Amino acid sequence: MRIAVVGTGYVGLVAGTCFAESGNEVVCVDQDAAKIRSLRRGKMPIYEPGLEELVRRNSQEGRLTFATQLPKAVRAAEIVFIAVGTPQGEDGSADLQHVLAVARDVARAMNGYKVIVNKSTVPVGTAVKVREVVRRETTHPFSVVSNPEFLKQGAAIDDFMKPDRVVVGAEDPRGAALMSELYAPFTRTGAPIMMMDCASAELAKYAANAMLATRISFMNEIANVCELVGADVDEVRRAIGSDRRIGSSFLFPGIGYGGSCFPKDVKAVMHFAAERDYEFKILKAVETVNQLQKTRLVARMRTHFGHLKGKTIAVWGLAFKPRTDDMREAPSIPLIEALLSAGVTVQAYDPEATRVAKGLFGARVTFAARSYDALKGADGLAILTEWNEFRRPDFAKMLKLMRSPVIFDGRNLFAPEQMKQSGFTYYSIGRH
Ligand code: NAD
């Protein structure tokens, strides 16, 4: 099939590449000319495991191309994906300007029947808006389809190639049939393709992210209570995770959720519920808990040191989660800002996000090329992202490098008892 994907970010680039990998002819379009130039040279604008190799192979085989010009790509395609950003507007709503602008440009370029697929995360009613915009601009026939994306950054290729399910909101059989054909290679192993109306598909994506964010805030509160009553959140997690009604994934407490999706999607759900005079009380609490959780590690440092001014803190991990360079809404940002404004010298290390972090903090933070370099002369270490390489460090080497052996572990990487025996003062989340 011939496909155009508009928006070559985390979602569009991965989706386009995976569609090419399954034999389709794909053009990825982006208005960012520098991004397209670098992709044509085989250089990835983002870090995502496995992506570079897949892009290279499919580009070499001529199935995957990159363009800045949307009309040509649309004319050549049967299916056009919209995968542009839907950032948070000032009032918490999802900003649809990019989605609707692309819908208009697609409509103007149409030369016959097209399936216009919205892959961006958008509020209920967006498919209707897209349909109206397209209808105003063209007399050609078209189907509008809602196909929310559930991939996780850091495991995006695998998630896309082997999805748990594919959700398709389609209002007409022609669009639905083409989507079934397109996704057949990805759902062969038993993953269902779920056909539904557009409103349900649109809401399903928000419901998934809101549920996951709720689990995180819930476990963070359980961890906070563990600290108060002398329980261990790891044991509590083990006990409840084995209950099949609960399940064991997504039960890890930490320093609050971040990333480009959970914070904005939680706000967007609250916003479009409020527009219909419905107050989404649980999500309001989820968000409040998340904000507070992001401040707890610094509060603990203050309690430990008495005052922070003049201290040097090493930071391991800047990305909002491991296996990505993405720092959008990363909890590391407010935490480092709080340390800097308290007069702390911050020495940070991240395996992939340093380039992004340099853009955010500039010379205010010292960036180390290796994890151990960040520890030199540090009064404490804050662990903010659970990269695998932090899980089994050389503790003896760490003791030698640090001025004082204190670890503030926001990701519960180590066993508290072992840390005590190794000579560290060790703080983690919800454990003693
Ligand atoms: P992103 O910011 O990484 O990429 C968006 C791309 O769209 C950018 O490259 C931008 O230049 C391009 N763009 C914007 N307007 C354009 C236009 N008019 N024409 C051409 N290109 C244009 O965003 P992302 O993380 O890939 O997210 C895209 C959407 O998918 C969002 O709605 C997001 O909520 C959703 N989503 C994201 C994830 C994720 O993990 N990142 C997962 C599922 C769903």
Side-chain angles (χ1 to χ4, degrees):
M1 296 169 104
R2 279 163 295 128
I3 296 165
V5 180
V6 188
T8 310
Y10 287 89
V11 167
L13 181 56
V14 169
T17 305
C18 292
F19 284 135
E21 177 71 8
S22 61
N24 299 290
E25 235 173 82
V26 180
V27 185
C28 284
V29 182
D30 205 288
Q31 62 185 7
D32 183 339
K35 201 177 247 191
I36 295 301
R37 263 197 312 277
S38 98
L39 281 163
R40 281 178 174 159
R41 288 199 311 270
K43 228 176 143 319
M44 296 305 103
I46 52 167
Y47 172 73
E48 184 59 49
L51 182 63
E52 188 167 339
E53 191 200 327
L54 226 51
V55 168
R56 192 179 311 127
R57 185 166 66 232
N58 284 283
S59 301
Q60 276 165 1
E61 289 174 13
R63 287 192 298 263
L64 179 63
T65 52
F66 298 97
T68 50
Q69 296 303 311
L70 178 137
K72 194 172 161 215
V74 169
R75 281 197 291 273
E78 308 163 72
I79 305 180
V80 182
F81 279 86
I82 304 176
V84 295
T86 45
Q88 188 184 311
E90 269 173 27
D91 56 359
S93 64
D95 182 350
L96 290 179
Q97 60 163 319
H98 306 296
V99 169
L100 297 178
V102 171
R104 187 200 57 211
D105 294 348
V106 169
R108 287 180 182 168
M110 275 166 61
N111 54 347
Y113 174 78
K114 309 280 170 197
V115 187
I116 301 169
V117 188
N118 189 20
K119 203 165 225 348
S120 300
T121 302
V122 289
V124 176
T126 304
V128 175
K129 284 186 185 157
V130 167
R131 191 173 303 119
E132 280 164 6
V133 167
V134 177
R135 192 169 288 141
R136 268 204 304 275
E137 300 288 339
T138 186
T139 52
H140 289 292
F142 65 92
S143 304
V144 170
V145 167
S146 168
N147 171 221
E149 181 50 56
F150 295 91
L151 63 76
K152 300 183 288 297
Q153 285 173 228
I157 303 280
D158 229 35
D159 286 348
F160 198 93
M161 299 300 264
K162 291 178 246 153
D164 289 342
R165 68 342 202 158
V166 173
V167 170
V168 173
E171 311 288 8
D172 66 81
R174 193 172 176 187
L178 279 164
M179 291 302 282
S180 293
E181 197 184 327
L182 175 65
Y183 274 107
F186 303 92
T187 52
R188 267 191 352 188
T189 46
I193 175 158
M194 299 179 174
M195 291 290 174
M196 58 187 76
D197 59 281
C198 287
S200 303
E202 288 167 336
L203 187 55
K205 172 65 196 177
Y206 282 111
N209 277 357
M211 167 75 94
L212 294 169
T214 302
R215 271 173 91 103
I216 293 174
S217 278
F218 179 82
M219 283 311 290
N220 282 336
E221 291 225 276
I222 291 287
N224 297 344
V225 172
C226 282
E227 288 173 15
L228 295 173
V229 300
D232 182 331
V233 73
D234 273 348
E235 303 298 358
V236 176
R237 179 175 56 78
R238 234 160 34 100
I240 64 172
S242 57
D243 185 325
R244 267 176 291 170
R245 293 168 303 176
I246 295 173
S248 57
S249 46
F250 246 79
L251 291 180
F252 291 85
I255 50 170
Y257 59 77
S260 68
C261 294
F262 288 179
K264 86 167 164 61
D265 291 350
V266 165
K267 282 198 183 67
V269 178
M270 286 194 282
H271 189 272
F272 66 72
E275 275 181 339
R276 288 146 178 98
D277 288 328
Y278 185 83
E279 189 194 2
F280 210 131
K281 298 180 196 65
I282 289 179
L283 291 183
K284 215 170 162 184
V286 165
E287 212 188 19
T288 308
V289 170
N290 197 52
Q291 292 305 338
L292 288 172
Q293 197 69 17
K294 289 193 226 169
T295 65
R296 286 179 70 91
L297 218 56
V298 175
R300 183 148 306 158
M301 290 182 199
R302 277 187 212 282
T303 311
H304 176 85
F305 290 113
H307 66 89
L308 291 173
K309 198 169 164 47
K311 300 286 178 212
T312 296
I313 299 290
V315 169
W316 278 5
L318 297 163
F320 85 94
K321 66 171 176 176
R323 293 177 293 282
T324 184
D325 60 350
D326 198 348
M327 283 191 64
R328 291 180 283 186
E329 299 269 336
S332 63
I333 299 172
L335 196 140
I336 290 173
E337 287 296 355
L339 292 178
L340 292 174
S341 50
V344 169
T345 300
V346 176
Q347 303 178 161
Y349 168 77
D350 187 284
E352 293 295 338
T354 303
R355 187 184 54 82
V356 181
K358 279 183 178 164
L360 290 169
F361 297 110
R364 294 187 298 144
V365 167
T366 306
F367 293 99
R370 282 181 300 262
S371 56
Y372 293 106
D373 293 346
L375 301 177
K376 285 180 192 152
D379 296 294
L381 164 66
I383 302 178
L384 307 186
T385 315
E386 65 276 36
W387 284 96
N388 271 339
E389 66 172 77
F390 301 152
R391 287 182 189 274
R392 292 283 173 272
D394 180 341
F395 291 120
K397 188 170 172 182
M398 291 170 74
L399 283 172
K400 277 195 203 124
L401 289 166
M402 294 176 74
R403 190 182 300 151
S404 66
V406 191
I407 297 180
F408 303 90
D409 182 356
R411 301 295 178 179
N412 288 1
L413 296 191
F414 313 127
E417 200 45 49
Q418 190 203 340
M419 295 310 288
K420 251 176 251 160
Q421 281 164 13
S422 308
F424 287 90
T425 303
Y426 180 67
Y427 298 100
S428 57
I429 311 284
R431 305 184 303 173
H432 47 85

